[in-house]
Amino acid sequence: MDSPKLTSARYTSGKINDDIKILLQCTSPLLWSYNSAVVVAAATVHWIMAPMEDVKRIVKPLLFVLRSSNASRYVLINVGQKQDALQELHDLITLKRSRAWQNTLERIMFKYIELCVDMRRGRFAKDGLIEYRIVCQQVNVTSLEEVTKHSMQTLQEKAEQAQD
């Protein structure tokens, strides 16, 4: 009996069967739970078990968790997948719906700059700072100043580490 060939471009896990479909259907409502741990757990199930074309459903709930809880943000970002975390933060910052300044966005920018510096992604940092300037230039210029100072401080620290 010849087994079907799996392509990593189509599935994040193996062959999808009826049990997996039921599991994904039952966990889909959990993606919109008010409990961030439940959202992260449900997103993990979808990330591992869902076909690639369905994985995009977890992006919005994870962005909601990033905005809502510092502890959840820490877990999502510091799991060792810096490239994915940087891309998610970049998408969050450049999202047109998040054009209203919030204190949470300032904290997200701090982490975003740290990731950009760690990964040496200057273009991402520049794009993020430009978007952040657009968001806060009319509302809270001091926040832009704080983020700029933080980015300069982070860059100086990284340069000093490189010299040692």
Side-chain angles (χ1 to χ4, degrees):
M1 185 167 165
D2 198 20
S3 64
K5 294 189 177 186
L6 299 176
T7 61
S8 61
R10 185 138 189 253
Y11 295 104
T12 56
S13 67
K15 180 182 172 188
I16 191 161
N17 61 29
D18 292 334
D19 293 334
I20 294 173
K21 287 179 185 177
I22 292 169
L23 175 67
L24 294 174
Q25 288 173 351
C26 291
T27 57
S28 289
L30 298 176
L31 289 171
W32 296 103
S33 172
Y34 288 114
N35 185 331
S36 57
V38 171
V39 174
V40 171
T44 303
V45 168
H46 281 261
W47 177 253
I48 293 170
M49 304 303 286
M52 284 299 270
E53 58 268 7
D54 293 341
V55 170
K56 63 186 173 202
R57 287 193 292 172
I58 67 173
V59 173
K60 288 182 182 179
L62 288 177
L63 287 176
F64 178 76
V65 169
L66 280 172
R67 289 184 191 142
S68 64
S69 169
N70 288 335
S72 299
R73 187 178 316 123
Y74 179 80
V75 169
L76 288 175
I77 293 173
N78 291 319
V79 292
Q81 300 196 1
K82 289 185 176 182
Q83 179 61 40
D84 292 337
L86 181 62
Q87 185 62 48
E88 290 299 323
L89 290 177
H90 183 74
D91 293 345
L92 174 66
I93 292 165
T94 58
L95 188 67
K96 301 295 183 201
R97 287 187 303 178
S98 65
R99 291 296 175 144
W101 182 87
Q102 302 170 9
N103 191 25
T104 306
L105 193 56
E106 182 179 334
R107 293 190 308 257
I108 289 172
M109 279 302 296
F110 287 155
K111 188 63 177 178
Y112 178 76
I113 293 296
E114 291 169 10
L115 284 171
C116 286
V117 170
D118 283 346
M119 298 179 65
R120 297 181 180 177
R121 300 292 299 265
R123 181 69 177 179
F124 262 51
K126 178 183 170 188
D127 291 345
L129 286 170
I130 289 170
E131 290 294 327
Y132 190 67
R133 183 194 72 199
I134 292 169
V135 169
C136 68
Q137 70 184 358
Q138 298 292 327
V139 179
N140 194 345
V141 177
T142 57
S143 176
L144 178 61
E145 181 181 359
E146 291 297 319
V147 169
T148 306
K149 284 180 183 178
H150 179 74
S151 64
M152 293 302 295
Q153 180 183 8
T154 306
L155 285 168
Q156 287 175 346
E157 289 172 1
K158 190 71 169 179
E160 290 172 1
Q161 287 177 357
Q163 287 178 349
D164 293 339

